[in-house]
Amino acid sequence: MTQAHPVVAAALQQALVDLTDLSLQGKQAHWNIEGPGFRSLHLHLDEIIDEVRLAADDVAERMAAIEVAPDGRAATVAATSLVDPMEPGFLPTDKTARQYEERLLGVAERIKATLDPVDEHDHLSNDLLIGIATGLEKQAWMLRAATKDLN
Amino acid sequence: MTQAHPVVAAALQQALVDLTDLSLQGKQAHWNIEGPGFRSLHLHLDEIIDEVRLAADDVAERMAAIEVAPDGRAATVAATSLVDPMEPGFLPTDKTARQYEERLLGVAERIKATLDPVDEHDHLSNDLLIGIATGLEKQAWMLRAATKDLN
Amino acid sequence: MTQAHPVVAAALQQALVDLTDLSLQGKQAHWNIEGPGFRSLHLHLDEIIDEVRLAADDVAERMAAIEVAPDGRAATVAATSLVDPMEPGFLPTDKTARQYEERLLGVAERIKATLDPVDEHDHLSNDLLIGIATGLEKQAWMLRAATKDLN
Amino acid sequence: MTQAHPVVAAALQQALVDLTDLSLQGKQAHWNIEGPGFRSLHLHLDEIIDEVRLAADDVAERMAAIEVAPDGRAATVAATSLVDPMEPGFLPTDKTARQYEERLLGVAERIKATLDPVDEHDHLSNDLLIGIATGLEKQAWMLRAATKDLN
Amino acid sequence: MTQAHPVVAAALQQALVDLTDLSLQGKQAHWNIEGPGFRSLHLHLDEIIDEVRLAADDVAERMAAIEVAPDGRAATVAATSLVDPMEPGFLPTDKTARQYEERLLGVAERIKATLDPVDEHDHLSNDLLIGIATGLEKQAWMLRAATKDLN
Amino acid sequence: MTQAHPVVAAALQQALVDLTDLSLQGKQAHWNIEGPGFRSLHLHLDEIIDEVRLAADDVAERMAAIEVAPDGRAATVAATSLVDPMEPGFLPTDKTARQYEERLLGVAERIKATLDPVDEHDHLSNDLLIGIATGLEKQAWMLRAATKDLN
Amino acid sequence: MTQAHPVVAAALQQALVDLTDLSLQGKQAHWNIEGPGFRSLHLHLDEIIDEVRLAADDVAERMAAIEVAPDGRAATVAATSLVDPMEPGFLPTDKTARQYEERLLGVAERIKATLDPVDEHDHLSNDLLIGIATGLEKQAWMLRAATKDLN
Amino acid sequence: MTQAHPVVAAALQQALVDLTDLSLQGKQAHWNIEGPGFRSLHLHLDEIIDEVRLAADDVAERMAAIEVAPDGRAATVAATSLVDPMEPGFLPTDKTARQYEERLLGVAERIKATLDPVDEHDHLSNDLLIGIATGLEKQAWMLRAATKDLN
Amino acid sequence: MTQAHPVVAAALQQALVDLTDLSLQGKQAHWNIEGPGFRSLHLHLDEIIDEVRLAADDVAERMAAIEVAPDGRAATVAATSLVDPMEPGFLPTDKTARQYEERLLGVAERIKATLDPVDEHDHLSNDLLIGIATGLEKQAWMLRAATKDLN
Amino acid sequence: MTQAHPVVAAALQQALVDLTDLSLQGKQAHWNIEGPGFRSLHLHLDEIIDEVRLAADDVAERMAAIEVAPDGRAATVAATSLVDPMEPGFLPTDKTARQYEERLLGVAERIKATLDPVDEHDHLSNDLLIGIATGLEKQAWMLRAATKDLN
Amino acid sequence: MTQAHPVVAAALQQALVDLTDLSLQGKQAHWNIEGPGFRSLHLHLDEIIDEVRLAADDVAERMAAIEVAPDGRAATVAATSLVDPMEPGFLPTDKTARQYEERLLGVAERIKATLDPVDEHDHLSNDLLIGIATGLEKQAWMLRAATKDLN
Amino acid sequence: MTQAHPVVAAALQQALVDLTDLSLQGKQAHWNIEGPGFRSLHLHLDEIIDEVRLAADDVAERMAAIEVAPDGRAATVAATSLVDPMEPGFLPTDKTARQYEERLLGVAERIKATLDPVDEHDHLSNDLLIGIATGLEKQAWMLRAATKDLN
């Protein structure tokens, strides 16, 4: 059976925690935005959250498949996530989009930094992480495109 | 327009935080269970999580509708949730079911304790909370039935 | 138009009453089971009930088609059904499965005993009853398999 | 955990028995009607039956959720239901509609009479029963409208 | 490969022609009815026609499977069908229902008369014809129920 | 860009107002009918209303496409519609069907009277109105067929 | 059978008229908006209209169920609705959203003012109106969030 | 109400009879083809038949809408259709495709010849016939393309 | 409970093995065909395989229902199946169709030979086998029709 | 068979080329827009593209039906399309909407200019082109409404 | 065109044979299990089998795409598969789950051992095999979790 | 944020242009084929086109995600695509299949040649291109299999 190398286990656990946090910050954004373009972004955030939750699920179940217990409890997430929290309270749409785009790209960057080390020990986990990072970067572009400074 | 009484605002914010935590603990359970009945509970937990996430969404959007900013960020959840975390690591199915049933009933109890005070100020929020608590108690029964001591 | 022979009419009316009772006992079981494997059996029973209700409907409408008035009222069912009632109150899953399997097989046996006499007068009703009995025996196997003594 | 008050338990058990009987009488009507408007009522009755069966299910599962064992077996239904049986044999459509409308309203009236006592002990069961009674009264109107004496 | 006995071939060809004619008379009825219950019967006839067309298709493809060329062309149908044509022009609903019920039962009777001879040579065609006749008799009942003389 | 000729603008605005009124009278009928055939007409009216609302939408959006502001507000409808209101209060099914059939045909006639003048200036609006009138006449036939005097 | 108290009848008739008008004003807005955010609001208004039409339907059918004839004809709506008409002609998106949000909240407020008096006589109608008002306030928030002045 | 001009009535009745015959010849072809490309044409013919049957239905219901009784009975079809019968017995695919293509084009040509005379009296029937002929010509192309002589 | 007669058990086990082999040979054919009509047959084979797999499943579960353990393991299939293997390697479409048609008919013939002996002991298994053989013969016709020598 | 007049052939070929180009420019816009309202327009453009591609398909298949070979290859499109290319590179949302609206209207105008000449020779192609032009004008309005100068 | 290196061809052929055998052993298990958790595992096995069959299909079609003839016939599978057969006869659920988990992991291990050699010659086949192995390991975890020894 | 290396940008832009051209040539083929197997290939080409369009979309959106403006305008495609145009005019099926298979393989080859250089700078784009090339090769096989010279 697959033996989980510590490098792989650590990369997956960090991805799980970051993706979980990303889904919570996404919901926070979904509920608190206001201003022009509200509805469009309100709906778009929910699509991103669905994709992020699915990614977290895939990561956690890959961990279980290689016999590492995933930890996605609130306290663990709050303590170890590298995602900055969104600002509290109602938030204008453009600020929301920019803040969330940064967080999406941040998680994508951290995942990409683990690809080569992970690939040395586990081609299967590597392939899974590539797919997730590609999705995060695409969603980030869509938020970026919506808030481009055109002056 | 509806004026949000502090009693209503507080009850909804606490429900939001508890329900969000419940969804995270549910996922933790979904990924870490093992033992007889694994698959059945693995799938059942995902149905409960869908229902709990929907409830959190309805609560947060009711808050926004009465002009209270909902706060569902990881740090806020970790700091103010009244839900006990699940045990870490892989967990047998029966223990998982019993622990999660307790958490479901705990949230239902706390919501029921706010029904009369909330109803004094806001019939609409009250009606929403009643529906959520009914659902939690029904799901708790299904977990309880599965782990009843029959001796 | 088809003339309903008394043998055919009696066989169909008995099947109707037994199948109706089987659906009520199935719901009783669906609500009152508890113990390991609860959810799996809880859901399975609902599938069986759907199939049994459909069978009762087909039998009753065949009766109407050959101009015999079907009688599926509660009092008639209680008085003429040959299905033993389930035990009252909450019931462990294994006991539930065994009791309900017996009832399924009992109805199937009684239907099979009428096949040859019915076929003498009405090939069409015979064909309908064969399909119903096959379905009941298959469902009985699935319940039996789940409670096989493996020691 | 919710403690079931005897008033609540009794109201729910009676509702369960009446709704179950209502579904059996509805099927009896569905199979035995004849005369003008046959098909329309034949199909309408099946929609009512689906709704009534769902209501019975919700009541029984609420009982289980508050730890009261529901009893919906044929003998119990025949012995304790307060619903009058439909006339036996084939029945004209208008008579069928009028008889079944009375039975629907009868069950709705009995449920409404329990609302205030139940609400004293259990807001959640009360909310469930309100929804069921509203549905029964709407279906009763549709049957009544079809048989109004227009002279 | 299956050798088609002339008895089987003849029974299937006659069933094909009668079923095809039944579908044309059904459409004629569907377009020309008028009077109370119009819409209900208008829709019901289309359901019967769908079922009858499917039956014709099954018969013709069974013929091809046993290497007998089916003939369902207009002239053949007009010349050999044993179904009486509907009255021309707009037709009251009750008359329509009664005329079409007779035609359904007529085809069912003729098919049933061929069951035993066919079964001697081909169990498979026999089984197909049984299913078709059962369906025709059920639809005939539904039309008959709607026009029952209730005085 | 398409220049809207006054003849076209006026024809579309009148169609919009008449179709909107037709949908309101249709709902009035849907809620207030009673008597034999109630359910069939109750459901049929809802299908007609869906079709009529869609037609109103198509007309209004064609107006916007040719830069004419559509006016479908309650006061405008009440003041300029050429559709007679239904009788108030509960209404027998046959009277309802006849009254609503007249209103459907009235709107169809007024639309057909504008086809040639509109076609001189705008083939596209003409094609849209033809489709709408065809639909209204088909629905009128179905109501008419149901109330034909058969004596 | 339920006896309709005049207080209940009046509250439901006013709600019916206001909701019907709200759906017409919503369509007017849907067709005449222009400016930034056009498409998002154009689609959102159609979702609100669907919800409002369903609410009007539920209110009218509750009235029929308690034997009060609903009146939703154009003239009645124009004469008794308390909803202010939208401005005529093409209208900028922000103005449209603000005007329609006010109308949604106005109807919600008027419904909420009738809740306690209605509940004294009819728990079932009260429950229906609570659900409708909750929906209107949620939709109003979504329009408000989209037009928040962020300076 | 629309008055049906004899020219319109005759054109529609002939179209009805031809389309009905086309559907019967199509089924004959569907059952009797054999040779290379069998399955593809077998399935394609069923799609054409669905479209042709729908066209016949639209024509017949347009006739009823303008108060002309449609006649689609087998004897009428056999006596007045202008469609040549397919050859009897099993038939090679290419011959089948060519024979059926000719019949499709023949019906399209006859319908097109009636367009201008019909349009003089009834724009609505004209529009319906245009749509039908367009569909027939498209299906004919697909059959022709499949049997093109490529030498 | 049903007692499985050895004749019935043997007939079902042989049918299971033959049907399983038929599905493997079908996949072999699906992957290795090439030449004119490739895609059509490639897709058709997958439909046949779905039907054959379903038949194998039904047979195996009937065996379990009468308490005979089905054996569908690769070695058992290879050793006891009476189906000839397809030729290895890429294979022209016509050859593929002819070879697979023979195999379908071979299995159907062997099943038909067991019908009467099986029916003596078990009407239910007999009915199941009739349905399977009918399906195989229909699929065989469709392959045969596609490769008929037309010279 | 339909003989394609050169006027008809030319009008259809030009429409095919313009519609194909419109779909490519639409994808260019879909990928390169940025700025406020990004997501809404991004999605709207994809709906327009689907509609435009379907129109191109209908035109090309009408050409084939009247035996004119359609030419939609990249070089032909680039050489003969009358649609101006979009500006290269990322493009602000408002500019994108205005540029694409002009292109939609340009194609609609060119198609409308061919309607009368085409109708002289081919009513069927004329009807097809009317439907396409109506769709293009409706989509153009939606883009125009979103960029209206409101000062 | 892609040239298939013998290393790639051999790896794919072995994977095809192992996956085919895995699907047969899975069906054997699906039909013969009995004991606690029967239904859950019975259904789970069917999901795994669907996934395994799809994988076999993808492998075989990749082989064809690089011009290697896949061989999945029963005799080839029986002779060259490296999957151990399941035990014959009815089998307890836990034993079934453990035996099948081992077989899933065995196939995954053998596929993983070929990844690097395959990747040297064909990135595309490598990517396909990675996806398949990831799926097998995930399914193995779910079976393992269900049978974990918790003492 | 991801920095797009020129090698990656160039590979993606070329893939975009080639895939867009492939979709246009595919439509050309879809409309102009004729001869044996027409319908099968006509439908197959549309499936390939859907897959190719989706691939173009994924490539263009990956470019935007890494901040490179994609260029898919008609002139750019005509000028820089490396795909040879299909022959003009109606084209026999076998020639169509062979010509289009070559173009599919050509694009796949050019994409595969960029995999290693792209992978040096961007694992994510590399993974996307692998998936696209695998799909093109599979579709090419299906066309190739259909036109294999079997002599």
Tab-separated table of all heavy atoms in Angstrom, chain F residues 19-49:
chain	number	residue	atom	x	y	z
F	19	LEU	N	-52.745	41.463	-23.579
F	19	LEU	CA	-52.217	40.184	-23.110
F	19	LEU	C	-52.021	40.196	-21.595
F	19	LEU	O	-52.278	39.199	-20.904
F	19	LEU	CB	-50.888	39.859	-23.811
F	19	LEU	CG	-51.017	39.517	-25.306
F	19	LEU	CD1	-49.651	39.603	-25.997
F	19	LEU	CD2	-51.606	38.125	-25.495
F	20	THR	N	-51.553	41.321	-21.061
F	20	THR	CA	-51.389	41.424	-19.605
F	20	THR	C	-52.737	41.272	-18.910
F	20	THR	O	-52.873	40.543	-17.924
F	20	THR	CB	-50.750	42.771	-19.240
F	20	THR	OG1	-49.501	42.893	-19.906
F	20	THR	CG2	-50.539	42.888	-17.736
F	21	ASP	N	-53.745	41.960	-19.445
F	21	ASP	CA	-55.075	41.871	-18.844
F	21	ASP	C	-55.591	40.423	-18.934
F	21	ASP	O	-56.166	39.889	-17.975
F	21	ASP	CB	-56.026	42.817	-19.575
F	21	ASP	CG	-57.256	43.127	-18.711
F	21	ASP	OD1	-57.328	42.599	-17.591
F	21	ASP	OD2	-58.121	43.890	-19.154
F	22	LEU	N	-55.374	39.810	-20.077
F	22	LEU	CA	-55.795	38.423	-20.276
F	22	LEU	C	-55.182	37.505	-19.204
F	22	LEU	O	-55.837	36.561	-18.722
F	22	LEU	CB	-55.311	37.972	-21.658
F	22	LEU	CG	-56.140	37.005	-22.498
F	22	LEU	CD1	-57.606	37.318	-22.488
F	22	LEU	CD2	-55.621	37.054	-23.943
F	23	SER	N	-53.946	37.774	-18.825
F	23	SER	CA	-53.314	36.926	-17.812
F	23	SER	C	-53.956	37.168	-16.442
F	23	SER	O	-54.134	36.227	-15.668
F	23	SER	CB	-51.798	37.164	-17.760
F	23	SER	OG	-51.495	38.379	-17.123
F	24	LEU	N	-54.318	38.417	-16.151
F	24	LEU	CA	-54.976	38.685	-14.858
F	24	LEU	C	-56.376	38.074	-14.820
F	24	LEU	O	-56.767	37.473	-13.816
F	24	LEU	CB	-55.066	40.199	-14.607
F	24	LEU	CG	-53.735	40.936	-14.423
F	24	LEU	CD1	-53.988	42.416	-14.174
F	24	LEU	CD2	-52.930	40.350	-13.266
F	25	GLN	N	-57.138	38.224	-15.907
F	25	GLN	CA	-58.480	37.624	-15.936
F	25	GLN	C	-58.367	36.095	-15.862
F	25	GLN	O	-59.237	35.430	-15.289
F	25	GLN	CB	-59.242	38.027	-17.213
F	25	GLN	CG	-59.346	39.528	-17.453
F	25	GLN	CD	-60.090	40.282	-16.366
F	25	GLN	OE1	-60.895	39.705	-15.640
F	25	GLN	NE2	-59.785	41.568	-16.211
F	26	GLY	N	-57.321	35.575	-16.432
F	26	GLY	CA	-57.112	34.137	-16.390
F	26	GLY	C	-56.883	33.645	-14.965
F	26	GLY	O	-57.430	32.622	-14.536
F	27	LYS	N	-56.080	34.381	-14.215
F	27	LYS	CA	-55.845	34.006	-12.819
F	27	LYS	C	-57.142	34.126	-12.022
F	27	LYS	O	-57.451	33.271	-11.187
F	27	LYS	CB	-54.763	34.904	-12.205
F	27	LYS	CG	-53.350	34.373	-12.389
F	27	LYS	CD	-53.144	33.094	-11.585
F	27	LYS	CE	-51.824	32.408	-11.856
F	27	LYS	NZ	-51.766	31.061	-11.306
F	28	GLN	N	-57.896	35.219	-12.263
F	28	GLN	CA	-59.192	35.392	-11.598
F	28	GLN	C	-60.064	34.150	-11.838
F	28	GLN	O	-60.670	33.604	-10.909
F	28	GLN	CB	-59.886	36.644	-12.167
F	28	GLN	CG	-61.292	36.911	-11.639
F	28	GLN	CD	-61.299	37.428	-10.206
F	28	GLN	OE1	-60.235	37.729	-9.648
F	28	GLN	NE2	-62.468	37.491	-9.589
F	29	ALA	N	-60.093	33.698	-13.081
F	29	ALA	CA	-60.884	32.520	-13.430
F	29	ALA	C	-60.327	31.271	-12.731
F	29	ALA	O	-61.081	30.476	-12.159
F	29	ALA	CB	-60.868	32.324	-14.938
F	30	HIS	N	-59.022	31.118	-12.758
F	30	HIS	CA	-58.332	29.974	-12.144
F	30	HIS	C	-58.702	29.813	-10.670
F	30	HIS	O	-58.842	28.700	-10.172
F	30	HIS	CB	-56.827	30.219	-12.312
F	30	HIS	CG	-55.899	29.281	-11.615
F	30	HIS	ND1	-55.596	28.023	-12.088
F	30	HIS	CD2	-55.156	29.435	-10.488
F	30	HIS	CE1	-54.716	27.444	-11.281
F	30	HIS	NE2	-54.428	28.280	-10.300
F	31	TRP	N	-58.860	30.937	-9.978
F	31	TRP	CA	-59.136	30.881	-8.539
F	31	TRP	C	-60.621	30.743	-8.206
F	31	TRP	O	-60.974	30.242	-7.152
F	31	TRP	CB	-58.615	32.157	-7.845
F	31	TRP	CG	-57.140	32.356	-7.928
F	31	TRP	CD1	-56.166	31.403	-7.878
F	31	TRP	CD2	-56.440	33.602	-8.104
F	31	TRP	NE1	-54.923	31.973	-7.999
F	31	TRP	CE2	-55.050	33.320	-8.128
F	31	TRP	CE3	-56.840	34.943	-8.230
F	31	TRP	CZ2	-54.083	34.312	-8.290
F	31	TRP	CZ3	-55.873	35.930	-8.373
F	31	TRP	CH2	-54.501	35.613	-8.411
F	32	ASN	N	-61.498	31.231	-9.079
F	32	ASN	CA	-62.898	31.353	-8.708
F	32	ASN	C	-63.842	30.338	-9.352
F	32	ASN	O	-65.042	30.368	-9.057
F	32	ASN	CB	-63.389	32.775	-9.025
F	32	ASN	CG	-62.887	33.785	-8.001
F	32	ASN	OD1	-63.381	33.828	-6.880
F	32	ASN	ND2	-61.883	34.569	-8.373
F	33	ILE	N	-63.315	29.466	-10.220
F	33	ILE	CA	-64.231	28.512	-10.831
F	33	ILE	C	-64.698	27.480	-9.827
F	33	ILE	O	-63.985	27.128	-8.904
F	33	ILE	CB	-63.593	27.699	-11.990
F	33	ILE	CG1	-62.118	27.417	-11.703
F	33	ILE	CG2	-63.795	28.373	-13.306
F	33	ILE	CD1	-61.519	26.409	-12.646
F	34	GLU	N	-65.856	26.924	-10.088
F	34	GLU	CA	-66.366	25.795	-9.312
F	34	GLU	C	-67.388	25.064	-10.161
F	34	GLU	O	-67.986	25.620	-11.072
F	34	GLU	CB	-66.962	26.260	-7.979
F	34	GLU	CG	-68.055	27.270	-8.093
F	34	GLU	CD	-68.535	27.774	-6.725
F	34	GLU	OE1	-67.769	27.686	-5.753
F	34	GLU	OE2	-69.670	28.250	-6.641
F	35	GLY	N	-67.586	23.777	-9.843
F	35	GLY	CA	-68.535	22.968	-10.609
F	35	GLY	C	-67.828	21.860	-11.359
F	35	GLY	O	-66.614	21.714	-11.254
F	36	PRO	N	-68.623	21.041	-12.088
F	36	PRO	CA	-68.072	19.870	-12.777
F	36	PRO	C	-66.934	20.261	-13.729
F	36	PRO	O	-67.047	21.241	-14.467
F	36	PRO	CB	-69.262	19.337	-13.583
F	36	PRO	CG	-70.480	19.978	-13.017
F	36	PRO	CD	-70.059	21.231	-12.341
F	37	GLY	N	-65.859	19.487	-13.703
F	37	GLY	CA	-64.720	19.774	-14.578
F	37	GLY	C	-63.791	20.816	-13.977
F	37	GLY	O	-62.868	21.287	-14.640
F	38	PHE	N	-64.018	21.159	-12.698
F	38	PHE	CA	-63.222	22.184	-12.018
F	38	PHE	C	-61.723	21.997	-12.217
F	38	PHE	O	-61.008	22.888	-12.681
F	38	PHE	CB	-63.528	22.163	-10.514
F	38	PHE	CG	-62.442	22.779	-9.675
F	38	PHE	CD1	-62.346	24.154	-9.556
F	38	PHE	CD2	-61.495	21.978	-9.034
F	38	PHE	CE1	-61.326	24.721	-8.808
F	38	PHE	CE2	-60.472	22.542	-8.296
F	38	PHE	CZ	-60.399	23.918	-8.178
F	39	ARG	N	-61.228	20.819	-11.847
F	39	ARG	CA	-59.789	20.632	-11.786
F	39	ARG	C	-59.136	20.707	-13.168
F	39	ARG	O	-58.069	21.284	-13.347
F	39	ARG	CB	-59.486	19.282	-11.166
F	39	ARG	CG	-58.027	19.032	-10.978
F	39	ARG	CD	-57.834	17.751	-10.186
F	39	ARG	NE	-56.564	17.165	-10.503
F	39	ARG	CZ	-55.413	17.572	-10.001
F	39	ARG	NH1	-55.395	18.583	-9.152
F	39	ARG	NH2	-54.281	17.016	-10.345
F	40	SER	N	-59.817	20.145	-14.148
F	40	SER	CA	-59.310	20.128	-15.501
F	40	SER	C	-59.147	21.569	-16.014
F	40	SER	O	-58.106	21.935	-16.563
F	40	SER	CB	-60.316	19.365	-16.373
F	40	SER	OG	-59.679	18.780	-17.451
F	41	LEU	N	-60.165	22.396	-15.782
F	41	LEU	CA	-60.114	23.781	-16.258
F	41	LEU	C	-59.145	24.604	-15.409
F	41	LEU	O	-58.428	25.464	-15.928
F	41	LEU	CB	-61.531	24.390	-16.209
F	41	LEU	CG	-61.644	25.811	-16.761
F	41	LEU	CD1	-61.045	25.914	-18.161
F	41	LEU	CD2	-63.106	26.245	-16.800
F	42	HIS	N	-59.130	24.339	-14.109
F	42	HIS	CA	-58.201	25.006	-13.186
F	42	HIS	C	-56.761	24.832	-13.684
F	42	HIS	O	-55.995	25.801	-13.749
F	42	HIS	CB	-58.393	24.371	-11.801
F	42	HIS	CG	-57.535	24.912	-10.703
F	42	HIS	ND1	-57.728	26.152	-10.147
F	42	HIS	CD2	-56.467	24.378	-10.043
F	42	HIS	CE1	-56.829	26.358	-9.186
F	42	HIS	NE2	-56.054	25.296	-9.115
F	43	LEU	N	-56.405	23.630	-14.073
F	43	LEU	CA	-55.048	23.372	-14.565
F	43	LEU	C	-54.847	23.935	-15.973
F	43	LEU	O	-53.797	24.495	-16.283
F	43	LEU	CB	-54.762	21.865	-14.567
F	43	LEU	CG	-54.728	21.190	-13.198
F	43	LEU	CD1	-54.526	19.685	-13.354
F	43	LEU	CD2	-53.608	21.763	-12.331
F	44	HIS	N	-55.866	23.781	-16.823
F	44	HIS	CA	-55.758	24.284	-18.194
F	44	HIS	C	-55.545	25.796	-18.194
F	44	HIS	O	-54.706	26.316	-18.937
F	44	HIS	CB	-57.020	23.918	-18.980
F	44	HIS	CG	-56.925	24.264	-20.435
F	44	HIS	ND1	-57.988	24.249	-21.286
F	44	HIS	CD2	-55.870	24.669	-21.194
F	44	HIS	CE1	-57.612	24.610	-22.499
F	44	HIS	NE2	-56.341	24.862	-22.469
F	45	LEU	N	-56.280	26.511	-17.345
F	45	LEU	CA	-56.128	27.974	-17.295
F	45	LEU	C	-54.686	28.359	-16.959
F	45	LEU	O	-54.151	29.328	-17.513
F	45	LEU	CB	-57.104	28.573	-16.273
F	45	LEU	CG	-58.558	28.637	-16.762
F	45	LEU	CD1	-59.509	28.889	-15.594
F	45	LEU	CD2	-58.723	29.727	-17.819
F	46	ASP	N	-54.061	27.609	-16.066
F	46	ASP	CA	-52.676	27.940	-15.712
F	46	ASP	C	-51.734	27.753	-16.901
F	46	ASP	O	-50.778	28.517	-17.066
F	46	ASP	CB	-52.203	27.112	-14.507
F	46	ASP	CG	-51.989	28.010	-13.288
F	46	ASP	OD1	-52.299	29.216	-13.371
F	46	ASP	OD2	-51.516	27.524	-12.248
F	47	GLU	N	-52.008	26.757	-17.729
F	47	GLU	CA	-51.182	26.583	-18.927
F	47	GLU	C	-51.393	27.749	-19.902
F	47	GLU	O	-50.443	28.237	-20.512
F	47	GLU	CB	-51.542	25.273	-19.636
F	47	GLU	CG	-51.012	24.047	-18.909
F	47	GLU	CD	-51.406	22.768	-19.644
F	47	GLU	OE1	-51.696	22.823	-20.853
F	47	GLU	OE2	-51.453	21.710	-18.990
F	48	ILE	N	-52.643	28.163	-20.052
F	48	ILE	CA	-52.920	29.302	-20.939
F	48	ILE	C	-52.221	30.555	-20.405
F	48	ILE	O	-51.612	31.324	-21.152
F	48	ILE	CB	-54.436	29.554	-21.057
F	48	ILE	CG1	-55.134	28.318	-21.624
F	48	ILE	CG2	-54.709	30.784	-21.917
F	48	ILE	CD1	-56.646	28.465	-21.760
F	49	ILE	N	-52.312	30.768	-19.091
F	49	ILE	CA	-51.707	31.959	-18.487
F	49	ILE	C	-50.191	31.969	-18.723
F	49	ILE	O	-49.610	33.011	-19.043
F	49	ILE	CB	-52.041	32.009	-16.975
F	49	ILE	CG1	-53.533	32.297	-16.799
F	49	ILE	CG2	-51.210	33.060	-16.259
F	49	ILE	CD1	-54.076	31.945	-15.427
